[in-house]
């Protein structure tokens, strides 16, 4: 071997050593930067189909209408849509009373329209989720009709119970099995003359509760899910889960136990709130069913491939019962996430910055390890976001939604700051308002104001429909608040929304740490940071008067910082440089600042 050859070998050896060393010097990409599954950081948009876009002039939104506006989601930066129920229904509860779980409601279109919607949405890269309503079926469904007639195989499809006897004061009325109160007021029990028994309905009389102790019902639910997954749906929003199962008479000497009384004297026995729903809500057995459904969609994915099919569960419950939808500590997994309604139920125009921080951290604190958080600001059951908070908070609230970790959920109209519409008693159609309220009180209960048609532009019916009349009146502020105008205006809620959804593509927002604190009663900050990537800081004055912010107390905020997004009324605009220790934020003002990596 020559000296030259030795030198070459030595050089190789040194080269190898260097390669090893430099591999050690450049750390491998942190595991937290591996691609996220599509649903873990998506912008999810709720469509209320009846009010989104009407294609045929009957005053009712429909699937062709949605198809014609799919580009809106691309333009807005939305990744996935979920649609309130589009299935055959007598529309007592506008689709939440399904009479055929396997077909499209005729006012909304046909199965072909649905297939077209799916195909076009998928071409645009938008996932499509359906609303799965497992707790109840319309009393016009075949299931119920058969069950009422005791057709073999269907006898126990619903929760049927004998009467304990006639009413002592009126022998022609049968006494219900228990004192349970329906979500829409009145007894949960309705007498069937045909069957000479009561059936249970936790919602309207026309929405009969399935009997989940019957394996045939549980199987049918798998069949329904499979049917829509086979069509290509990407998953489901799952409705009204806390009401899935009620106390079993087998555990109570063969009778249905009364719910305890709340003791609140303003309530009469037929009113929601008269009782505490001990035997009718949040029963522990319901979670096993949710865990079964999760196994089912996971198995579906294994068998069929493709992208993850998801379950997002709906239920208003305390934090402990809510977190159980994610799964339990025995390792059972449930929904991909339960919707987080805290911004609806626990925060309002009355909340201060400390309340915001406390409520946000509660979710993040109680959420099981590895869970994906999500944030909901409105839906078809609650007053719209700008109405519940203050109009000047729209951009700040959308910014919170988009900058918090996890999934951002938008209810149709929030991207343009749509407010509640006024709906007169004469025009009121919501079953909850009609059953629980009267001419003087209906506004306490009505969900119609949050369901008025979407404002596309300033033409007839806000561009929603060419019809003479729309199923709910169009809100009268549509000339000032509509999508077309907001696309033209230099500054608008919509433009802020677009910037925010674009910002979510930054690695810092997808993977970064969060730090959220109140600087005062009025102002909070939310910092998102990720080593070696730019830091983003949201400053938001949720108060009613201006506030002076000490920027040195904002963690990781290195000056100078650049204004990246500002709420529409802010005096600052994107690109402005902030380099002073103190700034003043007007009431409702929100700024997203971009600053150096931590
Ligand atoms: C959510 C909801 C309501 C509906 C009810 C029963 O609470 O979706 O809109 O009336 O469940 O399905
Ligand atoms: Mg129509
Ligand atoms: Mg049909
Ligand atoms: Ca039930």
């Amino acid at each position: 071997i020559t000296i030259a050859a030795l030198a070459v070998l030595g050089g190789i050896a040194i080269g190898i050593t260097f390669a090893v060393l430099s591999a050690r010097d450049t750390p491998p990409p942190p595991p937290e930067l591996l691609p996220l599954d599509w649903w873990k950081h998506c912008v999810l948009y709720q469509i209320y189909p009846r009010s989104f876009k009407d294609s045929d002039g009957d005053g009712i939104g429909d699937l062709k209408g949605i198809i014609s506006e799919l580009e809106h989601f691309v333009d807005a930066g939305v990744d996935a849509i979920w649609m309130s129920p589009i299935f055959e229904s007598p529309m007592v509860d506008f689709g939440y009373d399904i009479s055929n779980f396997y077909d499209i409601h005729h006012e909304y279109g046909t199965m072909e329209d649905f297939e077209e919607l799916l195909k076009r949405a998928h071409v645009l890269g938008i996932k499509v989720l359906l609303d799965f309503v497992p707790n109840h079926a319309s009393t016009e469904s075949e299931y119920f009709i058969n069950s009422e007639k005791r057709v073999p195989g269907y006898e126990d499809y619903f929760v049927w119970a004998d009467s304990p006897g006639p009413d002592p004061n009126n022998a022609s009325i049968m006494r219900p099995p228990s004192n349970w109160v329906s979500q829409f007021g009145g007894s949960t029990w309705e007498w069937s003359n045909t069957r000479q028994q009561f059936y249970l309905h936790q919602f309207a009389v026309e929405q009969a509760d399935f009997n989940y102790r019957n394996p045939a019902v549980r199987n049918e639910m798998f069949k329904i899910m499979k049917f829509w997954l086979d069509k290509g749906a990407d998953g489901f929003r799952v409705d009204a889960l806390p009401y899935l199962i009620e106390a079993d008479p087998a555990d109570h000497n063969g009778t249905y136990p009364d719910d305890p009384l709340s003791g609140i004297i303003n309530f009469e026995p037929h009113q929601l709130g008269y009782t505490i729903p001990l035997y009718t809500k949040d029963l522990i057995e319901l979670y096993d069913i949710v865990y079964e459904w999760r196994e089912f969609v996971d198995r579906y994915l294994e068998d069929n491939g493709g992208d993850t099919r998801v379950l997002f569960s709906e239920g208003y419950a305390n934090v402990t019962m809510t977190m159980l939808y994610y799964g339990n500590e025995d390792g059972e997994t449930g929904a991909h996430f339960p919707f987080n309604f805290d911004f609806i139920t626990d925060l309002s125009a009355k909340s201060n910055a400390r309340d915001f921080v406390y409520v946000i951290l509660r979710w993040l604190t109680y959420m099981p390890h590895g869970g994906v958080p999500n944030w909901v600001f409105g839906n078809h059951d609650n007053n719209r976001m700008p109405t519940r908070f203050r109009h000047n908070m729209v951009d700040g609230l959308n910014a919170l939604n988009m900058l918090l970790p996890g999934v951002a959920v938008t209810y149709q109209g929030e991207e343009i700051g749509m407010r509640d519409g006024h709906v007169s008693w004469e025009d009121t159609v919501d079953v909850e308002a009609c059953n629980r309220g009267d001419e003087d009180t209906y506004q306490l209960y009505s969900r119609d104001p949050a369901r008025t048609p979407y404002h596309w532009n300033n033409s007839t019916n806000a561009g929603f429909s060419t019809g003479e009349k729309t199923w709910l009146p169009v809100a009268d502020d549509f000339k000032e608040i509509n999508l077309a105008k907001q696309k033209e205006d230099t500054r608008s809620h919509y433009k802020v929304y677009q910037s925010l959804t674009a910002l979510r593509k930054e690695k810092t927002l997808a993977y970064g740490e969060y730090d959220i604190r109140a600087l005062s009663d009025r102002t909070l900050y939310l910092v998102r940071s990720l080593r070696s990537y730019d830091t983003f800081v949201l400053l938001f004055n949720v108060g009613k008067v201006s506030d002076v912010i000490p920027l040195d107390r904002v963690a990781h905020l290195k000056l100078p910082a650049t204004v990246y997004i500002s709420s529409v009324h802010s005096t600052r605009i994107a690109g402005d440089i902030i380099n002073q220790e103190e700034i003043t934020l007007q009431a409702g003002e929100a700024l997203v600042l971009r600053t150096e990596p931590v």
Side-chain angles (χ1 to χ4, degrees):
I1 197 162
T2 62
I3 290 183
L6 274 178
V8 168
L9 280 178
I12 290 169
I14 289 168
I16 289 169
T17 316
F18 264 110
V20 170
L21 271 185
S22 62
R24 256 195 229 126
D25 283 354
T26 344
E32 70 268 17
L33 291 192
L34 294 175
L36 288 178
D37 201 356
W38 72 265
W39 59 274
K40 293 189 171 177
H41 187 58
C42 68
V43 177
L44 174 65
Y45 187 102
Q46 178 186 357
I47 297 180
Y48 195 69
R50 215 172 170 77
S51 287
F52 191 63
K53 176 86 182 185
D54 174 24
S55 71
D56 59 0
D58 67 353
I60 297 169
D62 44 54
L63 298 185
K64 281 206 165 80
I66 297 173
I67 294 172
S68 72
E69 297 294 352
L70 283 173
E71 290 287 345
H72 173 56
F73 303 116
V74 179
D75 190 60
V78 164
D79 306 294
I81 53 178
W82 76 266
M83 298 182 285
S84 278
I86 54 173
F87 317 108
E88 220 174 273
S89 163
M91 293 288 155
V92 170
D93 192 14
F94 294 108
Y96 285 98
D97 50 321
I98 300 173
S99 50
N100 183 349
F101 286 71
Y102 296 97
D103 208 353
I104 302 295
H105 179 65
H106 62 277
E107 290 168 314
Y108 296 163
T110 62
M111 191 61 85
E112 289 68 46
D113 294 336
F114 174 68
E115 286 162 359
E116 177 76 8
L117 191 162
L118 261 185
K119 199 171 83 197
R120 297 240 207 138
H122 285 161
V123 168
L124 294 172
I126 296 162
K127 298 280 195 255
V128 179
L129 312 192
L130 292 170
D131 203 331
F132 175 43
V133 185
N135 180 64
H136 42 260
S138 164
T139 47
E140 292 183 24
S141 65
E142 289 290 311
Y143 306 130
F144 188 81
I145 293 168
N146 288 338
S147 191
E148 196 174 31
K149 290 194 294 212
R150 298 182 197 264
V151 171
Y154 290 94
E155 301 100 317
D156 299 326
Y157 240 71
F158 295 88
V159 182
W160 292 101
D162 292 329
S163 168
D167 190 322
N169 302 317
N170 182 347
S172 68
I173 300 177
M174 299 304 277
R175 270 191 297 137
S178 68
N179 71 349
W180 298 352
V181 185
S182 141
Q183 293 307 296
F184 296 153
S187 172
T188 57
W189 298 104
E190 182 73 9
W191 180 252
S192 159
N193 260 328
T194 312
R195 180 145 160 164
Q196 293 290 302
Q197 273 187 314
F198 281 98
Y199 67 85
L200 179 84
H201 62 91
Q202 293 241 42
F203 292 87
V205 173
E206 298 86 349
Q207 292 165 297
D209 276 50
F210 281 115
N211 172 15
Y212 273 89
R213 297 206 171 84
N214 179 354
V217 167
R218 287 160 83 144
N219 277 330
E220 183 64 18
M221 295 303 143
F222 293 136
K223 265 184 65 190
I224 294 168
M225 281 194 278
K226 180 169 187 312
F227 179 84
W228 295 105
L229 292 176
D230 284 348
K231 292 254 171 235
D234 297 292
F236 304 97
R237 174 259 188 192
V238 192
D239 182 69
L241 285 172
Y243 306 96
L244 211 56
I245 262 198
E246 298 76 19
D248 188 351
D251 301 328
H252 300 272
N253 303 316
T255 64
Y256 283 95
D258 276 347
D259 269 335
L261 305 186
S262 68
I264 303 174
I265 51 168
N266 336 20
F267 292 118
E268 294 172 35
H270 68 274
Q271 289 181 306
L272 191 60
Y274 183 75
T275 58
I276 296 168
L278 180 65
Y279 296 120
T280 44
K281 185 172 178 267
D282 302 330
L283 269 73
I284 199 73
E285 293 155 272
L286 80 85
Y287 297 93
D288 292 331
I289 299 167
V290 178
Y291 303 158
E292 260 177 45
W293 290 337
R294 175 58 183 269
E295 257 182 60
F296 178 81
V297 294
D298 283 354
R299 201 167 335 113
Y300 187 92
L301 179 65
E302 264 171 44
D303 295 347
N304 297 275
D307 293 347
T308 305
R309 315 306 196 285
V310 293
L311 297 178
F312 299 154
S313 67
E314 190 238 22
Y316 294 80
N318 68 35
V319 70
T320 311
M321 300 320 276
T322 299
M323 293 302 161
L324 277 179
Y325 289 106
Y326 276 113
N328 62 21
E329 299 214 328
D330 299 331
E332 282 168 308
T333 321
H336 290 74
F337 58 71
F339 279 113
N340 172 0
F341 297 126
D342 291 349
F343 276 96
I344 295 175
T345 54
D346 288 59
L347 295 168
S348 70
K350 295 198 182 90
S351 310
N352 68 27
R354 300 178 198 284
D355 299 324
F356 272 78
V357 171
Y358 184 75
V359 168
I360 290 165
L361 286 176
R362 182 177 59 193
W363 187 278
L364 296 166
T365 305
Y366 278 81
M367 187 177 68
H369 175 76
V372 171
N374 73 94
W375 316 93
V376 181
F377 286 72
N379 56 35
H380 63 297
D381 288 329
N382 293 282
N383 298 90
R384 286 195 173 110
M385 171 259 262
T387 307
R388 295 197 325 275
F389 291 93
R390 276 183 293 277
H391 297 165
N392 65 11
M393 292 170 74
V394 168
D395 299 320
L397 292 170
N398 279 334
L400 256 183
N401 194 5
M402 296 295 166
L403 265 80
L404 281 165
V407 171
V409 186
T410 295
Y411 176 56
Q412 126 183 348
E414 275 167 18
E415 74 277 31
I416 55 171
M418 268 181 72
R419 306 164 185 175
D420 278 356
H422 173 74
V423 182
S424 68
W425 172 240
E426 287 69 36
D427 285 339
T428 293
V429 289
D430 176 25
V431 60
E432 178 167 3
C434 298
N435 288 5
R436 294 180 70 189
D438 56 30
E439 183 155 7
D440 300 321
T441 60
Y442 75 98
Q443 285 176 339
L444 292 173
Y445 310 107
S446 185
R447 297 172 296 176
D448 289 338
R451 299 175 175 181
T452 57
Y454 188 84
H455 299 176
W456 294 100
N457 54 48
N458 64 7
S459 70
T460 316
N461 296 326
F464 161 70
S465 171
T466 56
E468 298 248 296
K469 204 174 154 28
T470 54
W471 78 283
L472 273 179
V474 174
D476 47 24
D477 56 10
F478 75 92
K479 292 225 159 98
E480 295 81 62
I481 303 172
N482 66 70
L483 180 66
K485 179 170 188 303
Q486 294 196 16
K487 283 187 179 179
E488 273 164 29
D489 290 349
T490 347
R491 299 180 75 176
S492 67
H493 296 317
Y494 186 65
K495 288 197 168 156
V496 169
Y497 187 91
Q498 283 180 310
S499 313
L500 289 166
T501 55
L503 179 62
R504 285 173 68 82
K505 306 276 181 276
E506 296 282 338
K507 288 222 170 6
T508 308
L509 290 213
Y511 302 96
E513 279 302 323
Y514 61 86
D515 183 11
I516 178 162
R517 282 168 211 244
L519 286 169
S520 68
D521 280 353
R522 292 171 211 155
T523 302
L524 61 85
Y525 74 71
L526 166 63
V527 176
R528 297 300 308 277
S529 59
L530 180 66
R531 190 164 49 98
S532 83
Y533 291 89
D534 279 358
T535 298
F536 294 91
V537 177
L538 169 65
L539 301 170
F540 183 18
N541 178 352
V542 302
K544 278 195 254 184
V545 288
S546 67
D547 199 13
V548 179
I549 320 297
L551 290 182
D552 59 323
R553 280 178 41 212
V554 180
H556 303 315
L557 176 57
K558 292 183 198 158
L559 297 181
T562 314
V563 174
Y564 194 68
I565 299 171
S566 62
S567 52
V568 294
H569 298 113
S570 171
T571 53
R572 297 156 180 112
I573 55 166
D576 282 3
I577 304 294
I578 304 274
N579 203 9
Q580 61 274 42
E581 296 285 294
E582 258 182 13
I583 60 165
T584 302
L585 283 190
Q586 301 308 314
E589 184 171 357
L591 299 177
V592 178
L593 307 180
R594 181 175 199 138
T595 172
E596 273 174 42
V598 290

